Amino acid sequence: GRMSEKLLGMIYFQFGIVLSCCASIFAERFLKDRYEVPFYIQKTNLMFGELLCAFLSFVANVEDDSDSAGACSWDQIHTWHSQLPVILLWLLHGWVAGLLVKRCSALVKNVSHILSTLITYSFPLLFLPGSVHSAPVTLSALLVLTAVMLFAAAPPYSQAKPIPSTRRAQLTEE
C-alpha cells in the first residue's frame, strides 16, 4: 500500500535533521581546516556544488508533456524577477551563515537559526489577531533553544576545571 502523508513527512523531517547535522559538521571542518583560504573563495566553491545540484535537479524534473503540478518548467525562469528578492535574501543568508561557521562555529550558526525560528514562530502570535497558539510546540521550541544554548555555553571537557581533591573529599562526605 501507499505510505501515509504524515509518515512520509516524518521520514523527510528526520532525514532533514540528519542531513543538517552532517552538513554543519562537514562545512565547519571544510571552512576551518582551510582557515588561511579567504572565505569568499571557500563559499564560491561550495556554491558551485549547489548550483550543479540545482541544475541537475531542475533538468531531471523538467516538465514533459504530462500535466503534473509538482514538476519544474522553463516558465519558472521567465518569472525570475518576482523571485529576485527571495533569491537575494537567501544568498545573503547563506553568506552570513558561512561566515558564522568560519569565524565562530556551526553551533553558533545553529543557535542563531533557532533564535530566528523562535522569533518567526512568536511574531504572528504577538501581532496577528486570531493566530493559533500551541503550548506543546512553544514548550518544545523553548526546550530545544535552552538545550542548544546550554550546550554552546558549556566549556569543552578538556577545559573544564577539575575539582580539587580536598573539595572532592568534602563533597563525598556530605
Side-chain angles (χ1 to χ4, degrees):
R2 189 167 173 189
M3 194 180 308
S4 76
E5 290 296 320
K6 283 188 177 186
L7 180 60
L8 187 60
M10 286 304 298
I11 291 171
Y12 285 155
F13 177 74
Q14 292 172 348
F15 186 62
I17 290 171
V18 170
L19 283 178
S20 179
C21 292
C22 291
S24 289
I25 292 167
F26 288 125
E28 185 170 0
R29 287 182 114 183
F30 173 79
L31 293 171
K32 291 198 174 184
D33 285 349
R34 298 160 188 85
Y35 198 79
E36 68 282 351
V37 177
F39 175 71
Y40 68 92
I41 293 173
Q42 292 176 316
K43 181 65 176 172
T44 304
N45 288 338
L46 292 172
M47 289 177 75
F48 278 130
E50 287 181 44
L51 181 63
L52 178 64
C53 289
F55 178 76
L56 292 175
S57 176
F58 181 80
V59 169
N61 291 307
V62 170
E63 186 175 36
D64 53 21
D65 292 335
S66 65
D67 209 17
S68 55
C72 294
S73 74
W74 292 106
D75 291 334
Q76 294 169 341
I77 293 175
H78 297 297
T79 59
W80 68 270
H81 62 280
S82 63
Q83 301 168 23
L84 191 59
V86 175
I87 292 169
L88 291 176
L89 283 173
W90 192 257
L91 183 69
L92 182 61
H93 173 266
W95 278 83
V96 170
L99 280 171
L100 275 174
V101 172
K102 182 164 177 114
R103 302 285 182 221
C104 301
S105 70
L107 190 61
V108 170
K109 177 201 67 139
N110 290 336
V111 168
S112 74
H113 287 180
I114 288 171
L115 285 171
S116 68
T117 302
L118 192 61
I119 291 168
T120 303
Y121 174 74
S122 301
F123 186 79
L125 296 175
L126 297 174
F127 299 109
L128 297 177
S131 297
V132 178
H133 176 260
S134 172
V137 171
T138 303
L139 290 174
S140 296
L142 290 173
L143 180 65
V144 169
L145 178 63
T146 304
V148 170
M149 292 181 82
L150 282 173
F151 182 77
Y157 183 73
S158 61
Q159 294 177 355
K161 294 180 182 177
I163 299 174
S165 59
T166 55
R167 177 70 180 136
R168 193 177 308 128
Q170 291 173 347
L171 289 174
T172 56
E173 290 173 4
E174 293 176 353

